């Protein structure tokens, strides 16, 4: 599960606000020099990335769902390069929010 911190626990449960906080694993991953990270070649190629994600997912489940194998895709950019989307969702939801917001702004303003 993602790391969600309740800002004020005295507020009624359905009115509480969460603060998105990276886990200790995410903080440690941020400190690793990007130059030392290498993404497996299979994930760098659009043709083979999905096949590799499915292969990895089958190690854990005989009949993986689409969501499960998409979670095994590896990030090829940014501060969490070489981490899976599943790992990212479990460890730094705030970065996922940043990526979605950035994508939405680029879609609205392609320039």
């Amino acid at each position: 599960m993602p790391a969600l911190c309740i800002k004020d626990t005295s507020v009624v449960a359905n009115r509480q606000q969460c603060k998105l906080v990276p886990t200790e694993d995410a903080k440690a991953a941020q400190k690793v020099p990007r130059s030392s990270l290498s993404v497996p070649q299979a994930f760098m190629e659009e043709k083979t990335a999905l096949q590799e994600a499915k292969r990895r997912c089958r190690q854990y489940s005989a009949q993986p769902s689409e969501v499960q194998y998409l979670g095994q895709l590896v990030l090829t950019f940014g501060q969490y390069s070489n981490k899976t989307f599943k790992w990212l969702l479990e460890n730094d939801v705030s970065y996922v929010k940043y990526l979605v917001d950035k994508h939405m702004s680029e879609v609205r303003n392609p320039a």
Side-chain angles (χ1 to χ4, degrees):
M1 290 297 295
L4 303 173
C5 294
I6 303 297
K7 290 175 91 173
D8 184 355
T9 56
S10 67
V11 176
V12 180
N14 65 350
R15 302 288 293 167
Q16 291 177 344
Q17 295 180 349
C18 289
K19 182 178 180 186
L20 303 176
V21 178
T23 63
E24 293 304 316
D25 284 345
K27 290 176 186 174
Q30 290 172 350
K31 294 177 184 172
V32 175
R34 288 186 192 176
S35 59
S36 69
L37 300 174
S38 63
V39 176
Q41 190 60 36
F43 284 104
M44 295 299 291
E45 309 273 332
E46 187 176 344
K47 298 173 190 171
T48 56
L50 194 56
Q51 294 169 341
E52 182 64 15
K54 286 179 181 181
R55 186 192 66 73
R56 283 186 175 195
C57 199
R58 286 190 193 104
Q59 293 175 349
Y60 307 107
S61 173
Q63 295 291 325
S65 69
E66 183 178 11
V67 170
Q68 288 173 315
Y69 67 75
L70 290 176
Q72 292 301 315
L73 287 171
V74 171
L75 293 163
T76 59
F77 60 88
Q79 62 186 1
Y80 296 119
S81 182
N82 204 23
K83 299 291 186 189
T84 65
F85 280 98
K86 179 181 182 293
W87 181 93
L88 183 59
L89 285 168
E90 292 171 344
N91 290 282
D92 196 352
V93 176
S94 61
Y95 190 66
V96 174
K97 181 189 177 314
Y98 161 77
L99 290 175
V100 170
D101 290 346
K102 185 169 176 60
H103 173 73
M104 293 304 293
S105 69
E106 289 174 357
V107 167
R108 289 186 188 121
N109 183 10

